[in-house]
Amino acid sequence: DMVRAANPSPLAALLAAGTEMTRYVKSPEEMSNHLAFLQTDLSDPDFYAITLENSRRIVNGYRRLLDEAVAGRELVPCDTARLARAVDALAGGSLIGWAVYREGTAEAWVRRDLETLFEAYRPKRRIPASRVSMGRSRKAARRG
C-alpha cells in the first residue's frame, strides 16, 4: 500500500515493489548472508510460518497491482495470479543473479529483468492506418 501511494501508476508501483528488497542488499556478501538466513527460515517450523505468510502477502500485493495495471490498460488482460508468482520468482532470482554477475546496482539489475517480463504484457501500440499505407507506398517506390 505504501509503494502504491508513492507511485502514479500501478505498473510503476509494481516495479517499485519488485525492487523493494534491493534496499536491504547493498553487496553480494549481504545477499549471501540473507541466503544463509533463508536456510533457517525454511527449516525451522516457526520461522517458516512467518516466511510463508510474508511471501503470500507479497504475491497477493503483486496481484492487486497487476489487476490495477490491467484495469488501467497498462498491461493486457492476463492471468494475474500466475503473473504475480512469476514476478515474485523473477525478483528473488534476479537479485541472486545480480550477486553472481556483480554488474551495476541490484535495483537496476532487478528492474531491468522485471521490465523485460512486463514487456510481453504491455499493450501493442497501433500504428494509424495512414502511416501503414505511407510505409507501404515508400517500400513500393524503392522496389520500383
Side-chain angles (χ1 to χ4, degrees):
D1 292 335
M2 292 184 326
V3 172
R4 179 64 179 106
N7 288 278
S9 79
L11 193 54
L14 190 57
L15 286 167
T19 59
E20 175 68 17
M21 69 179 90
T22 65
R23 290 182 13 182
Y24 307 104
V25 180
K26 299 299 180 199
S27 70
E29 294 77 20
E30 282 187 20
M31 185 69 235
S32 177
N33 190 44
H34 286 287
L35 290 173
F37 278 102
L38 180 61
Q39 288 180 307
T40 302
D41 291 344
L42 296 177
S43 61
D44 179 277
D46 294 330
F47 285 120
Y48 173 71
I50 295 166
T51 300
L52 179 60
E53 178 61 26
N54 188 48
S55 295
R56 285 179 174 157
R57 287 180 183 205
I58 290 169
V59 171
N60 287 335
Y62 290 156
R63 184 176 185 184
R64 283 194 316 269
L65 291 170
L66 288 165
D67 287 339
E68 283 187 48
V70 168
R73 297 184 183 186
E74 291 183 275
L75 298 176
V76 298
C78 59
D79 184 342
T80 56
R82 286 181 62 197
L83 187 54
R85 286 184 49 204
V87 168
D88 188 49
L90 185 138
S94 182
L95 188 54
I96 293 170
W98 167 80
V100 171
Y101 290 99
R102 301 177 183 199
E103 296 173 9
T105 66
E107 181 179 5
W109 184 276
V110 174
R111 177 177 292 276
R112 185 187 66 228
D113 287 348
L114 287 169
E115 288 172 343
T116 299
L117 174 65
F118 297 142
E119 190 60 37
Y121 292 91
R122 289 183 184 262
K124 305 295 182 235
R125 292 188 181 181
R126 290 189 174 173
I127 300 172
S130 61
R131 293 192 67 184
V132 171
S133 61
M134 272 182 28
R136 288 182 186 151
S137 298
R138 288 181 186 160
K139 286 180 186 177
R142 279 185 259 170
R143 282 184 262 164

PDB file of all heavy atoms in Angstrom, residues 14 55-56 58-67 78-91 114 117-118 121:
ATOM      1  N   LEU A  14       4.355  -1.501  -9.151  1.00  0.00           N
ATOM      2  CA  LEU A  14       4.789  -2.894  -9.223  1.00  0.00           C
ATOM      3  C   LEU A  14       6.304  -2.982  -9.388  1.00  0.00           C
ATOM      4  O   LEU A  14       6.960  -3.808  -8.743  1.00  0.00           O
ATOM      5  CB  LEU A  14       4.074  -3.592 -10.372  1.00  0.00           C
ATOM      6  CG  LEU A  14       4.202  -5.085 -10.470  1.00  0.00           C
ATOM      7  CD1 LEU A  14       3.735  -5.774  -9.193  1.00  0.00           C
ATOM      8  CD2 LEU A  14       3.389  -5.591 -11.642  1.00  0.00           C
ATOM      9  N   SER A  55       5.471 -14.224   2.345  1.00  0.00           N
ATOM     10  CA  SER A  55       5.525 -14.498   0.906  1.00  0.00           C
ATOM     11  C   SER A  55       4.137 -14.424   0.277  1.00  0.00           C
ATOM     12  O   SER A  55       3.971 -13.882  -0.816  1.00  0.00           O
ATOM     13  CB  SER A  55       6.155 -15.871   0.658  1.00  0.00           C
ATOM     14  OG  SER A  55       7.495 -15.862   1.081  1.00  0.00           O
ATOM     15  N   ARG A  56       3.145 -14.958   0.951  1.00  0.00           N
ATOM     16  CA  ARG A  56       1.770 -14.890   0.435  1.00  0.00           C
ATOM     17  C   ARG A  56       1.291 -13.445   0.333  1.00  0.00           C
ATOM     18  O   ARG A  56       0.635 -13.068  -0.643  1.00  0.00           O
ATOM     19  CB  ARG A  56       0.824 -15.690   1.328  1.00  0.00           C
ATOM     20  CG  ARG A  56       0.966 -17.178   1.128  1.00  0.00           C
ATOM     21  CD  ARG A  56       0.040 -17.954   2.034  1.00  0.00           C
ATOM     22  NE  ARG A  56       0.100 -19.383   1.711  1.00  0.00           N
ATOM     23  CZ  ARG A  56      -0.219 -20.342   2.542  1.00  0.00           C
ATOM     24  NH1 ARG A  56      -0.645 -20.060   3.770  1.00  0.00           N
ATOM     25  NH2 ARG A  56      -0.139 -21.597   2.162  1.00  0.00           N
ATOM     26  N   ILE A  58       3.149 -10.793  -0.107  1.00  0.00           N
ATOM     27  CA  ILE A  58       3.866 -10.157  -1.212  1.00  0.00           C
ATOM     28  C   ILE A  58       3.223 -10.524  -2.543  1.00  0.00           C
ATOM     29  O   ILE A  58       2.934  -9.651  -3.367  1.00  0.00           O
ATOM     30  CB  ILE A  58       5.363 -10.536  -1.183  1.00  0.00           C
ATOM     31  CG1 ILE A  58       6.046  -9.855   0.009  1.00  0.00           C
ATOM     32  CG2 ILE A  58       6.053 -10.185  -2.494  1.00  0.00           C
ATOM     33  CD1 ILE A  58       7.446 -10.359   0.295  1.00  0.00           C
ATOM     34  N   VAL A  59       2.987 -11.810  -2.771  1.00  0.00           N
ATOM     35  CA  VAL A  59       2.384 -12.248  -4.036  1.00  0.00           C
ATOM     36  C   VAL A  59       0.982 -11.666  -4.193  1.00  0.00           C
ATOM     37  O   VAL A  59       0.601 -11.221  -5.282  1.00  0.00           O
ATOM     38  CB  VAL A  59       2.388 -13.783  -4.149  1.00  0.00           C
ATOM     39  CG1 VAL A  59       1.566 -14.257  -5.348  1.00  0.00           C
ATOM     40  CG2 VAL A  59       3.813 -14.305  -4.251  1.00  0.00           C
ATOM     41  N   ASN A  60       0.199 -11.623  -3.125  1.00  0.00           N
ATOM     42  CA  ASN A  60      -1.133 -11.017  -3.193  1.00  0.00           C
ATOM     43  C   ASN A  60      -1.042  -9.530  -3.523  1.00  0.00           C
ATOM     44  O   ASN A  60      -1.870  -8.998  -4.271  1.00  0.00           O
ATOM     45  CB  ASN A  60      -1.903 -11.239  -1.896  1.00  0.00           C
ATOM     46  CG  ASN A  60      -2.360 -12.674  -1.738  1.00  0.00           C
ATOM     47  OD1 ASN A  60      -2.523 -13.403  -2.713  1.00  0.00           O
ATOM     48  ND2 ASN A  60      -2.554 -13.102  -0.496  1.00  0.00           N
ATOM     49  N   GLY A  61      -0.035  -8.857  -2.965  1.00  0.00           N
ATOM     50  CA  GLY A  61       0.175  -7.443  -3.291  1.00  0.00           C
ATOM     51  C   GLY A  61       0.540  -7.260  -4.752  1.00  0.00           C
ATOM     52  O   GLY A  61       0.030  -6.348  -5.418  1.00  0.00           O
ATOM     53  N   TYR A  62       1.406  -8.118  -5.259  1.00  0.00           N
ATOM     54  CA  TYR A  62       1.737  -8.058  -6.684  1.00  0.00           C
ATOM     55  C   TYR A  62       0.481  -8.269  -7.525  1.00  0.00           C
ATOM     56  O   TYR A  62       0.265  -7.571  -8.514  1.00  0.00           O
ATOM     57  CB  TYR A  62       2.765  -9.135  -7.057  1.00  0.00           C
ATOM     58  CG  TYR A  62       4.166  -8.934  -6.533  1.00  0.00           C
ATOM     59  CD1 TYR A  62       5.010 -10.027  -6.386  1.00  0.00           C
ATOM     60  CD2 TYR A  62       4.668  -7.685  -6.199  1.00  0.00           C
ATOM     61  CE1 TYR A  62       6.317  -9.876  -5.923  1.00  0.00           C
ATOM     62  CE2 TYR A  62       5.960  -7.523  -5.728  1.00  0.00           C
ATOM     63  CZ  TYR A  62       6.781  -8.619  -5.595  1.00  0.00           C
ATOM     64  OH  TYR A  62       8.077  -8.481  -5.141  1.00  0.00           O
ATOM     65  N   ARG A  63      -0.348  -9.219  -7.120  1.00  0.00           N
ATOM     66  CA  ARG A  63      -1.554  -9.498  -7.908  1.00  0.00           C
ATOM     67  C   ARG A  63      -2.497  -8.294  -7.912  1.00  0.00           C
ATOM     68  O   ARG A  63      -3.068  -7.957  -8.954  1.00  0.00           O
ATOM     69  CB  ARG A  63      -2.279 -10.728  -7.377  1.00  0.00           C
ATOM     70  CG  ARG A  63      -3.474 -11.066  -8.257  1.00  0.00           C
ATOM     71  CD  ARG A  63      -4.169 -12.319  -7.859  1.00  0.00           C
ATOM     72  NE  ARG A  63      -5.212 -12.615  -8.834  1.00  0.00           N
ATOM     73  CZ  ARG A  63      -6.047 -13.598  -8.722  1.00  0.00           C
ATOM     74  NH1 ARG A  63      -5.966 -14.439  -7.693  1.00  0.00           N
ATOM     75  NH2 ARG A  63      -6.973 -13.803  -9.632  1.00  0.00           N
ATOM     76  N   ARG A  64      -2.664  -7.657  -6.774  1.00  0.00           N
ATOM     77  CA  ARG A  64      -3.524  -6.459  -6.735  1.00  0.00           C
ATOM     78  C   ARG A  64      -3.007  -5.387  -7.693  1.00  0.00           C
ATOM     79  O   ARG A  64      -3.775  -4.762  -8.423  1.00  0.00           O
ATOM     80  CB  ARG A  64      -3.623  -5.907  -5.322  1.00  0.00           C
ATOM     81  CG  ARG A  64      -4.551  -6.685  -4.412  1.00  0.00           C
ATOM     82  CD  ARG A  64      -4.904  -5.933  -3.128  1.00  0.00           C
ATOM     83  NE  ARG A  64      -3.785  -5.280  -2.480  1.00  0.00           N
ATOM     84  CZ  ARG A  64      -3.002  -5.840  -1.539  1.00  0.00           C
ATOM     85  NH1 ARG A  64      -3.220  -7.079  -1.154  1.00  0.00           N
ATOM     86  NH2 ARG A  64      -2.002  -5.173  -1.004  1.00  0.00           N
ATOM     87  N   LEU A  65      -1.695  -5.181  -7.683  1.00  0.00           N
ATOM     88  CA  LEU A  65      -1.113  -4.180  -8.581  1.00  0.00           C
ATOM     89  C   LEU A  65      -1.259  -4.600 -10.040  1.00  0.00           C
ATOM     90  O   LEU A  65      -1.532  -3.759 -10.901  1.00  0.00           O
ATOM     91  CB  LEU A  65       0.354  -3.943  -8.229  1.00  0.00           C
ATOM     92  CG  LEU A  65       0.596  -3.239  -6.894  1.00  0.00           C
ATOM     93  CD1 LEU A  65       2.070  -3.273  -6.517  1.00  0.00           C
ATOM     94  CD2 LEU A  65       0.081  -1.808  -6.939  1.00  0.00           C
ATOM     95  N   LEU A  66      -1.094  -5.880 -10.317  1.00  0.00           N
ATOM     96  CA  LEU A  66      -1.296  -6.363 -11.683  1.00  0.00           C
ATOM     97  C   LEU A  66      -2.743  -6.190 -12.118  1.00  0.00           C
ATOM     98  O   LEU A  66      -3.007  -5.776 -13.261  1.00  0.00           O
ATOM     99  CB  LEU A  66      -0.883  -7.836 -11.786  1.00  0.00           C
ATOM    100  CG  LEU A  66       0.622  -8.101 -11.734  1.00  0.00           C
ATOM    101  CD1 LEU A  66       0.892  -9.570 -11.461  1.00  0.00           C
ATOM    102  CD2 LEU A  66       1.300  -7.630 -13.014  1.00  0.00           C
ATOM    103  N   ASP A  67      -3.691  -6.484 -11.230  1.00  0.00           N
ATOM    104  CA  ASP A  67      -5.109  -6.272 -11.548  1.00  0.00           C
ATOM    105  C   ASP A  67      -5.367  -4.805 -11.875  1.00  0.00           C
ATOM    106  O   ASP A  67      -6.090  -4.486 -12.822  1.00  0.00           O
ATOM    107  CB  ASP A  67      -6.001  -6.729 -10.395  1.00  0.00           C
ATOM    108  CG  ASP A  67      -6.084  -8.237 -10.250  1.00  0.00           C
ATOM    109  OD1 ASP A  67      -5.798  -8.963 -11.223  1.00  0.00           O
ATOM    110  OD2 ASP A  67      -6.434  -8.703  -9.135  1.00  0.00           O
ATOM    111  N   CYS A  78      -4.674 -10.744 -18.561  1.00  0.00           N
ATOM    112  CA  CYS A  78      -3.861 -11.948 -18.384  1.00  0.00           C
ATOM    113  C   CYS A  78      -4.229 -12.602 -17.053  1.00  0.00           C
ATOM    114  O   CYS A  78      -5.014 -12.055 -16.284  1.00  0.00           O
ATOM    115  CB  CYS A  78      -2.374 -11.603 -18.410  1.00  0.00           C
ATOM    116  SG  CYS A  78      -1.880 -10.420 -17.138  1.00  0.00           S
ATOM    117  N   ASP A  79      -3.654 -13.735 -16.802  1.00  0.00           N
ATOM    118  CA  ASP A  79      -3.842 -14.445 -15.539  1.00  0.00           C
ATOM    119  C   ASP A  79      -2.931 -13.784 -14.506  1.00  0.00           C
ATOM    120  O   ASP A  79      -1.751 -14.130 -14.391  1.00  0.00           O
ATOM    121  CB  ASP A  79      -3.506 -15.924 -15.717  1.00  0.00           C
ATOM    122  CG  ASP A  79      -3.763 -16.754 -14.478  1.00  0.00           C
ATOM    123  OD1 ASP A  79      -3.868 -16.195 -13.372  1.00  0.00           O
ATOM    124  OD2 ASP A  79      -3.843 -17.993 -14.622  1.00  0.00           O
ATOM    125  N   THR A  80      -3.465 -12.834 -13.779  1.00  0.00           N
ATOM    126  CA  THR A  80      -2.641 -12.053 -12.855  1.00  0.00           C
ATOM    127  C   THR A  80      -2.147 -12.871 -11.668  1.00  0.00           C
ATOM    128  O   THR A  80      -1.106 -12.541 -11.094  1.00  0.00           O
ATOM    129  CB  THR A  80      -3.377 -10.793 -12.363  1.00  0.00           C
ATOM    130  OG1 THR A  80      -4.616 -11.176 -11.758  1.00  0.00           O
ATOM    131  CG2 THR A  80      -3.634  -9.820 -13.513  1.00  0.00           C
ATOM    132  N   ALA A  81      -2.837 -13.936 -11.323  1.00  0.00           N
ATOM    133  CA  ALA A  81      -2.350 -14.797 -10.231  1.00  0.00           C
ATOM    134  C   ALA A  81      -1.053 -15.483 -10.653  1.00  0.00           C
ATOM    135  O   ALA A  81      -0.079 -15.506  -9.893  1.00  0.00           O
ATOM    136  CB  ALA A  81      -3.408 -15.827  -9.855  1.00  0.00           C
ATOM    137  N   ARG A  82      -1.035 -16.015 -11.856  1.00  0.00           N
ATOM    138  CA  ARG A  82       0.185 -16.671 -12.359  1.00  0.00           C
ATOM    139  C   ARG A  82       1.300 -15.657 -12.571  1.00  0.00           C
ATOM    140  O   ARG A  82       2.462 -15.928 -12.263  1.00  0.00           O
ATOM    141  CB  ARG A  82      -0.107 -17.405 -13.665  1.00  0.00           C
ATOM    142  CG  ARG A  82      -0.901 -18.681 -13.453  1.00  0.00           C
ATOM    143  CD  ARG A  82      -1.161 -19.423 -14.729  1.00  0.00           C
ATOM    144  NE  ARG A  82       0.093 -19.842 -15.351  1.00  0.00           N
ATOM    145  CZ  ARG A  82       0.203 -20.219 -16.619  1.00  0.00           C
ATOM    146  NH1 ARG A  82      -0.876 -20.240 -17.391  1.00  0.00           N
ATOM    147  NH2 ARG A  82       1.351 -20.592 -17.114  1.00  0.00           N
ATOM    148  N   LEU A  83       0.953 -14.510 -13.111  1.00  0.00           N
ATOM    149  CA  LEU A  83       1.969 -13.492 -13.356  1.00  0.00           C
ATOM    150  C   LEU A  83       2.547 -12.967 -12.041  1.00  0.00           C
ATOM    151  O   LEU A  83       3.744 -12.692 -11.957  1.00  0.00           O
ATOM    152  CB  LEU A  83       1.394 -12.352 -14.202  1.00  0.00           C
ATOM    153  CG  LEU A  83       2.387 -11.295 -14.676  1.00  0.00           C
ATOM    154  CD1 LEU A  83       3.579 -11.914 -15.414  1.00  0.00           C
ATOM    155  CD2 LEU A  83       1.679 -10.272 -15.562  1.00  0.00           C
ATOM    156  N   ALA A  84       1.727 -12.857 -11.002  1.00  0.00           N
ATOM    157  CA  ALA A  84       2.228 -12.414  -9.687  1.00  0.00           C
ATOM    158  C   ALA A  84       3.266 -13.391  -9.152  1.00  0.00           C
ATOM    159  O   ALA A  84       4.287 -12.979  -8.584  1.00  0.00           O
ATOM    160  CB  ALA A  84       1.069 -12.263  -8.705  1.00  0.00           C
ATOM    161  N   ARG A  85       3.014 -14.674  -9.323  1.00  0.00           N
ATOM    162  CA  ARG A  85       4.001 -15.680  -8.897  1.00  0.00           C
ATOM    163  C   ARG A  85       5.282 -15.554  -9.704  1.00  0.00           C
ATOM    164  O   ARG A  85       6.388 -15.699  -9.178  1.00  0.00           O
ATOM    165  CB  ARG A  85       3.427 -17.081  -9.028  1.00  0.00           C
ATOM    166  CG  ARG A  85       2.394 -17.391  -7.947  1.00  0.00           C
ATOM    167  CD  ARG A  85       1.886 -18.807  -7.996  1.00  0.00           C
ATOM    168  NE  ARG A  85       2.974 -19.769  -8.071  1.00  0.00           N
ATOM    169  CZ  ARG A  85       2.854 -20.995  -8.580  1.00  0.00           C
ATOM    170  NH1 ARG A  85       1.682 -21.398  -9.034  1.00  0.00           N
ATOM    171  NH2 ARG A  85       3.867 -21.813  -8.617  1.00  0.00           N
ATOM    172  N   ALA A  86       5.147 -15.268 -10.998  1.00  0.00           N
ATOM    173  CA  ALA A  86       6.329 -15.092 -11.840  1.00  0.00           C
ATOM    174  C   ALA A  86       7.117 -13.857 -11.417  1.00  0.00           C
ATOM    175  O   ALA A  86       8.349 -13.881 -11.384  1.00  0.00           O
ATOM    176  CB  ALA A  86       5.914 -14.994 -13.317  1.00  0.00           C
ATOM    177  N   VAL A  87       6.417 -12.781 -11.089  1.00  0.00           N
ATOM    178  CA  VAL A  87       7.087 -11.564 -10.608  1.00  0.00           C
ATOM    179  C   VAL A  87       7.870 -11.875  -9.341  1.00  0.00           C
ATOM    180  O   VAL A  87       9.034 -11.476  -9.194  1.00  0.00           O
ATOM    181  CB  VAL A  87       6.071 -10.427 -10.360  1.00  0.00           C
ATOM    182  CG1 VAL A  87       6.694  -9.264  -9.592  1.00  0.00           C
ATOM    183  CG2 VAL A  87       5.471  -9.946 -11.679  1.00  0.00           C
ATOM    184  N   ASP A  88       7.253 -12.600  -8.422  1.00  0.00           N
ATOM    185  CA  ASP A  88       7.904 -12.953  -7.167  1.00  0.00           C
ATOM    186  C   ASP A  88       9.155 -13.792  -7.422  1.00  0.00           C
ATOM    187  O   ASP A  88      10.229 -13.518  -6.873  1.00  0.00           O
ATOM    188  CB  ASP A  88       6.916 -13.701  -6.275  1.00  0.00           C
ATOM    189  CG  ASP A  88       7.446 -13.945  -4.885  1.00  0.00           C
ATOM    190  OD1 ASP A  88       7.948 -12.993  -4.247  1.00  0.00           O
ATOM    191  OD2 ASP A  88       7.349 -15.089  -4.421  1.00  0.00           O
ATOM    192  N   ALA A  89       9.021 -14.800  -8.264  1.00  0.00           N
ATOM    193  CA  ALA A  89      10.156 -15.679  -8.561  1.00  0.00           C
ATOM    194  C   ALA A  89      11.258 -14.916  -9.284  1.00  0.00           C
ATOM    195  O   ALA A  89      12.443 -15.069  -8.972  1.00  0.00           O
ATOM    196  CB  ALA A  89       9.683 -16.865  -9.404  1.00  0.00           C
ATOM    197  N   LEU A  90      10.876 -14.086 -10.238  1.00  0.00           N
ATOM    198  CA  LEU A  90      11.867 -13.347 -11.003  1.00  0.00           C
ATOM    199  C   LEU A  90      12.602 -12.344 -10.122  1.00  0.00           C
ATOM    200  O   LEU A  90      13.828 -12.232 -10.210  1.00  0.00           O
ATOM    201  CB  LEU A  90      11.206 -12.630 -12.175  1.00  0.00           C
ATOM    202  CG  LEU A  90      12.197 -11.933 -13.103  1.00  0.00           C
ATOM    203  CD1 LEU A  90      11.813 -12.161 -14.542  1.00  0.00           C
ATOM    204  CD2 LEU A  90      12.273 -10.469 -12.795  1.00  0.00           C
ATOM    205  N   ALA A  91      11.896 -11.629  -9.273  1.00  0.00           N
ATOM    206  CA  ALA A  91      12.545 -10.626  -8.423  1.00  0.00           C
ATOM    207  C   ALA A  91      13.582 -11.262  -7.508  1.00  0.00           C
ATOM    208  O   ALA A  91      14.714 -10.783  -7.407  1.00  0.00           O
ATOM    209  CB  ALA A  91      11.498  -9.855  -7.613  1.00  0.00           C
ATOM    210  N   LEU A 114      12.532  -7.243 -14.493  1.00  0.00           N
ATOM    211  CA  LEU A 114      11.074  -7.091 -14.378  1.00  0.00           C
ATOM    212  C   LEU A 114      10.500  -6.400 -15.612  1.00  0.00           C
ATOM    213  O   LEU A 114       9.453  -6.791 -16.121  1.00  0.00           O
ATOM    214  CB  LEU A 114      10.715  -6.317 -13.109  1.00  0.00           C
ATOM    215  CG  LEU A 114      10.891  -7.074 -11.801  1.00  0.00           C
ATOM    216  CD1 LEU A 114      10.756  -6.124 -10.614  1.00  0.00           C
ATOM    217  CD2 LEU A 114       9.885  -8.211 -11.684  1.00  0.00           C
ATOM    218  N   LEU A 117      10.106  -8.845 -18.355  1.00  0.00           N
ATOM    219  CA  LEU A 117       8.915  -9.676 -18.168  1.00  0.00           C
ATOM    220  C   LEU A 117       7.658  -8.914 -18.570  1.00  0.00           C
ATOM    221  O   LEU A 117       6.817  -9.428 -19.308  1.00  0.00           O
ATOM    222  CB  LEU A 117       8.808 -10.121 -16.699  1.00  0.00           C
ATOM    223  CG  LEU A 117       7.537 -10.878 -16.313  1.00  0.00           C
ATOM    224  CD1 LEU A 117       7.450 -12.219 -17.034  1.00  0.00           C
ATOM    225  CD2 LEU A 117       7.477 -11.067 -14.800  1.00  0.00           C
ATOM    226  N   PHE A 118       7.516  -7.679 -18.113  1.00  0.00           N
ATOM    227  CA  PHE A 118       6.298  -6.912 -18.375  1.00  0.00           C
ATOM    228  C   PHE A 118       6.150  -6.534 -19.844  1.00  0.00           C
ATOM    229  O   PHE A 118       5.031  -6.307 -20.311  1.00  0.00           O
ATOM    230  CB  PHE A 118       6.242  -5.660 -17.504  1.00  0.00           C
ATOM    231  CG  PHE A 118       6.171  -5.956 -16.036  1.00  0.00           C
ATOM    232  CD1 PHE A 118       6.849  -5.174 -15.122  1.00  0.00           C
ATOM    233  CD2 PHE A 118       5.428  -7.026 -15.550  1.00  0.00           C
ATOM    234  CE1 PHE A 118       6.784  -5.453 -13.759  1.00  0.00           C
ATOM    235  CE2 PHE A 118       5.361  -7.311 -14.208  1.00  0.00           C
ATOM    236  CZ  PHE A 118       6.044  -6.515 -13.310  1.00  0.00           C
ATOM    237  N   TYR A 121       3.582  -8.227 -21.767  1.00  0.00           N
ATOM    238  CA  TYR A 121       2.201  -7.996 -21.335  1.00  0.00           C
ATOM    239  C   TYR A 121       1.736  -6.566 -21.588  1.00  0.00           C
ATOM    240  O   TYR A 121       0.612  -6.219 -21.250  1.00  0.00           O
ATOM    241  CB  TYR A 121       2.061  -8.324 -19.842  1.00  0.00           C
ATOM    242  CG  TYR A 121       2.231  -9.793 -19.573  1.00  0.00           C
ATOM    243  CD1 TYR A 121       3.486 -10.328 -19.270  1.00  0.00           C
ATOM    244  CD2 TYR A 121       1.151 -10.668 -19.648  1.00  0.00           C
ATOM    245  CE1 TYR A 121       3.649 -11.681 -19.042  1.00  0.00           C
ATOM    246  CE2 TYR A 121       1.313 -12.021 -19.421  1.00  0.00           C
ATOM    247  CZ  TYR A 121       2.563 -12.522 -19.121  1.00  0.00           C
ATOM    248  OH  TYR A 121       2.725 -13.865 -18.904  1.00  0.00           O
TER     249      TYR A 121
END
